[in-house]
Structure formats: structure tokens, C-alpha cells
Amino acid sequence: MQPNQSHAGNRNSIMAMVMAGGQGSRLRPLTDKRSKPAVPFGSRYRIIDFVLSNLVNSGISTIYLLVQYKSQSLIEHVRKAWTISPLFPDQFVTVVPQQMHNGKTWFTGTADAVAQNLDLIESHHPDLVLVFGADHIYRMDVGRMIEHHLERDADVTVAALPVAREESSSFGVIVADSDGRVRGFEEKPAQGTPIPDDPSRVYASMGNYVFRAGCLVRALRDAQRNGETDFGSHVLPRMLAGSRVFAYDFANNRVPGLKSYEEQAYWRDVGTIDAYYAAHQDVLGAQPILDLFNPRWPVFSSNYQGPVARVMDSDIDNSLLGAATLVEGARVRNSIVRREAVIEEGAEIEDSIIMDYARVSKGARLRRVIVDRHNLIERETSIGWDLEQDRASLPVTDSGIVVVPRGRTPFFARGPRGGGGGYSD
């Protein structure tokens, strides 16, 4: 894994703490057995891979993941996929479970999670500390944000995404001067304060921060004394009085290798089933607005050792197939089929996501369906065609996306009778 040339400067003076403990309750049932950052995305990734790839591509390689809810799946993925270099002590991605140094309590907020791990910051003596979320799909050259931070001699820099003003109620809104100096925060207002010189848009906080290390430590110790637990609600508003807090406009961020047809500042919060499904549509098509083929800014993931996909006598259009997938005599349209899935003869899959190790049996018909891992869809099953019937046994969103929850016991589609296991991922 080789990071790209970065704008970040001396990466040994920078460390990152990634908030990877998200419960993801709005993404159920996909988060019934895993945390939100561990949810699969696309034909081979997990959500966590995007923030980690952005950091590593930007030359940041001292990375702690703070985990909490249902973390085992995420821990296993990081162990297998994110070994950077055992030869250099400051290059690592390390999972940090809840340590309960300050009592028998879980993390109660983003600031509390970092505050409970101040010993990690103090042991590394960094100049800057990055605090990033792990729940979003995006590409970002973090070095450009760091440059912005250093040029303004900022104590804190907050990544800001311009969004339509009518969407204010979905975000924490940043109030900033024309030079980017932050003057206030508004929590999901009906109509947020607009961006200077653009009354139609507001700055939405992306939950990504660059801190001067000493400033962060002092602010978190103050927060602990005051019983404050969250960056957006408590720590950052308090810091406005005595610190230099700036917004970084993500719309100006560019990574190498983007194509002209891509959305240049692509960022999606995939916090609901509908948003998660919509983001998958963004990677499909001849000119996807998020093209995951970019050798100059790759999204890293597991070093899967299985064979390539195999397709026989099938009709496939505008679809992505994961490694070791087997499609035989089937029709697949506008869909993503992850690795080691099997699509049998006569099956029809349309506008769907089929996750790893699932088997769609002969004659089954799926439309606008998400099938989680280790599932067997029986012969002649029809899902997504009669939503009232589907609602009797399966979760269905208001927009009509049907979810087949993860199988209860391990099932490997390419093994004999679903047994035998698959390749390690």
C-alpha cells in the first residue's frame, strides 16, 4: 500500500483519530450484526475504507480507529486489510476499543471518545490531530485541508460542504465570514445562515476536523470538567470565543485522477437504507458520478485471494461483479453483485445489491432489493414486485427498497450445499 504524494508535509507530526463506533440505527437491518463503518459498499469495499484511503493517500499513516458498537466485523476487516508497514512504528491503522479509563461508561459523544484517549495523543506529541468520521462515502485530499489550516494559523479547521439552504434541517450548519472564520454553529435549523455571497446555500459540517494538538488537549480537558461530550454541540462552540476556528470549503477540494464526468466534490452520508442504495447507483453507468477506478487515488480494501468472476450464457448490463462471483444463465441489470455470490439459471436481478456469499436460485426475481451476506434466495422467489406481500416478512423502505437481512448462520454460496467456507476477505 503506497500513499500518493501529499500536501500534508511531515506526516510524522500529524496523527488521525477516526470515529468508527457508529451504531447506524437508521441503517438497520444492515447494522444488526455490524457497526455502520463495517457495512459493505460497492463490489468489494466497506464504508470504513473510504476515510482510511483518503488519509493514507494524503500521506497520513498514524491512524487510530475508535470503535464501540458491534465492532468485531470491523476489527477483523482492519486486521486483514489495513496492515500498512510493521517496519515503521509510526505507520499503522490500529483499532482502539472503549478502554473505560474514566469509569464504566461507553463513549457518550465524539469529543468524549477522543478525551478518553488523550494518552494516545500525548504519547505521540503530534503538531496536528485530525478527527474524522468513518460513516461517509467520498474522496478527499486531506493535505489540502491541512494547507488551508496552516495558512490561516488556525487552531481548528472544520470541513464544510456547501448544500442547498432548504436542506439545512438535515445538517449542523456553520456560520462563517467571507474569509472562512467561523462565527457560530446552528444545529439543524429550518433555514440556516447562508454562505457569504451565496444566499441559496449553507455550509454543512462534514464532521471532519483539523486541530492544533495543544489546543485540542486543552479544550477536551475543559470539556471533561464541564461534562461536555460532543464536538459540534459543545466543544467547538465554546472554542469560538478564544480560538481561531475556520471553515474549509470541501467544494474546492480535488484529488488526482478525477474524470470530467464525476461529481467533483462527491460526499454522501449513507446513514439510511435509501441513501445507501442511492450511493450504489452513483457508481454505475458508463460515466458514474463516483468512478471507483482511479489508480491515482485508489480506494484500498482487503487483499482478497479468490479468483475472478465467471459468467456463462447470461445477459448482464450496467452491473458490477465482485471476485469469484458465478453467474450462469441469468439476467442482471443495473445491479451490484459482490464476491462469491452465485446467480443461478433463469434468475432475474434488476436494480439490486447482492452481497457476498449469497445465492439467488433458479427462477428467482429480484427488483430494488438489498440481499445481505450469507443468504439463500429460494427457487422461484419473487421480491420487490409486490411490496405489500414483501412487507409481511421483510423490511421495506418508504421508497420501496426491500432488504433481506443477513443470514442467521454462515452460508457460502459456492461451497457444496452452502458449506465448506469461502476465501478469507
Side-chain angles (χ1 to χ4, degrees):
M1 190 183 300
Q2 294 294 326
N4 286 272
Q5 182 66 35
S6 168
H7 301 268
N10 178 10
R11 35 178 208 196
N12 289 327
S13 68
I14 303 170
M15 66 177 290
M17 305 193 84
V18 177
M19 304 290 99
Q23 190 171 10
S25 57
R26 295 179 300 149
L27 204 53
R28 289 175 177 161
L30 300 182
T31 52
D32 280 346
K33 297 183 179 181
R34 56 169 84 91
S35 63
K36 182 179 174 183
V39 172
F41 183 87
S43 59
R44 65 179 297 254
Y45 309 104
R46 297 192 187 223
I47 294 174
I48 187 67
D49 293 328
F50 288 83
V51 63
L52 294 181
S53 295
N54 287 328
L55 292 168
V56 169
N57 283 328
S58 301
I60 311 300
S61 55
T62 302
I63 305 170
Y64 287 103
L65 296 186
L66 308 187
V67 303
Q68 184 159 248
Y69 298 101
K70 301 174 184 176
S71 60
Q72 191 59 39
S73 178
L74 181 61
I75 291 170
E76 290 296 324
H77 174 70
V78 170
R79 178 180 67 83
K80 296 171 184 176
W82 284 97
T83 299
I84 297 179
S85 175
L87 299 178
F88 301 99
D90 289 327
Q91 296 187 24
F92 57 81
V93 177
T94 294
V95 174
V96 182
Q98 216 287 339
Q99 301 294 306
M100 296 187 178
H101 289 308
N102 301 324
K104 297 180 179 180
T105 61
W106 293 75
F107 298 144
T108 55
T110 53
D112 180 59
V114 178
Q116 290 197 37
N117 290 283
L118 282 176
D119 59 314
L120 299 178
I121 297 174
E122 292 169 337
S123 67
H124 283 278
H125 306 290
D127 297 321
L128 301 177
V129 178
L130 314 184
V131 178
F132 272 46
D135 297 345
H136 307 118
I137 305 298
Y138 67 115
R139 279 198 175 102
M140 180 182 190
D141 185 343
V142 183
R144 294 187 182 274
M145 183 177 175
I146 292 171
E147 276 187 348
H148 184 274
H149 177 88
L150 295 175
E151 287 169 357
R152 284 152 184 78
D153 193 28
D155 294 311
V156 190
T157 299
V158 184
L161 177 72
V163 301
R165 194 178 181 199
E166 54 267 25
E167 298 178 26
S168 297
S169 61
S170 299
F171 299 96
V173 171
I174 300 167
V175 182
D177 293 340
S178 57
D179 64 351
R181 184 76 179 262
V182 177
R183 299 302 181 184
F185 294 93
E186 300 170 344
E187 184 60 26
K188 298 183 178 179
Q191 290 286 320
T193 301
I195 295 172
D197 303 323
D198 188 351
S200 67
R201 297 192 298 170
V202 300
Y203 276 143
S205 174
M206 296 169 61
N208 291 349
Y209 314 115
V210 177
F211 287 92
R212 196 191 305 267
C215 186
L216 173 62
V217 171
R218 289 191 297 272
L220 290 179
R221 295 214 184 281
D222 288 343
Q224 287 179 314
R225 285 191 289 269
N226 294 317
E228 298 169 342
T229 60
D230 188 73
F231 280 114
S233 300
H234 306 131
V235 175
L236 292 175
R238 179 182 289 275
M239 293 180 71
L240 291 178
S243 302
R244 293 175 57 81
V245 182
F246 283 83
Y248 171 72
D249 189 344
F250 179 65
N252 297 322
N253 194 271
R254 295 290 183 272
V255 301
L258 285 181
K259 289 84 167 177
S260 60
Y261 52 76
E262 291 189 76
E263 185 175 315
Q264 298 298 301
Y266 185 95
W267 182 88
R268 297 292 187 273
D269 180 355
V270 288
T272 66
I273 293 295
D274 287 329
Y276 175 82
Y277 178 88
H280 278 82
Q281 300 304 301
D282 293 341
V283 304
L284 294 174
Q287 296 186 335
I289 63 173
L290 176 63
D291 193 338
L292 293 176
F293 181 83
N294 186 344
R296 297 182 64 191
W297 201 270
V299 181
F300 299 107
S301 193
S302 66
N303 298 306
Y304 179 77
Q305 297 300 315
V308 299
R310 181 185 300 177
V311 179
M312 295 174 289
D313 192 27
S314 296
D315 180 6
I316 299 177
D317 180 56
N318 188 31
S319 297
L320 301 180
L321 304 181
T325 288
L326 177 60
V327 184
E328 184 173 8
R331 181 176 180 271
V332 182
R333 287 280 187 277
N334 307 320
S335 295
I336 293 173
V337 182
R338 286 177 60 93
R339 57 186 164 221
E340 291 190 38
V342 175
I343 315 299
E344 293 186 357
E345 181 181 355
E348 296 184 12
I349 298 174
E350 181 179 333
D351 301 322
S352 295
I353 303 166
I354 311 300
M355 291 197 193
D356 318 68
Y357 318 119
R359 178 181 288 267
V360 180
S361 300
K362 289 183 179 181
R365 300 166 67 234
L366 308 181
R367 181 175 67 179
R368 288 167 58 82
V369 179
I370 301 173
V371 179
D372 206 342
R373 289 180 162 197
H374 300 293
N375 266 297
L376 171 63
I377 306 300
E378 300 284 359
R379 291 190 178 195
E380 307 300 329
T381 299
S382 180
I383 305 175
W385 299 86
D386 184 341
L387 296 182
E388 290 306 312
Q389 177 178 305
D390 294 334
R391 284 191 178 95
S393 57
L394 296 170
V396 181
T397 72
D398 291 341
S399 69
I401 307 300
V402 186
V403 183
V404 180
R406 180 170 170 154
R408 289 183 177 274
T409 57
F411 174 87
F412 294 92
R414 293 203 61 174
R417 297 185 179 181
Y423 282 86
S424 171
D425 65 345

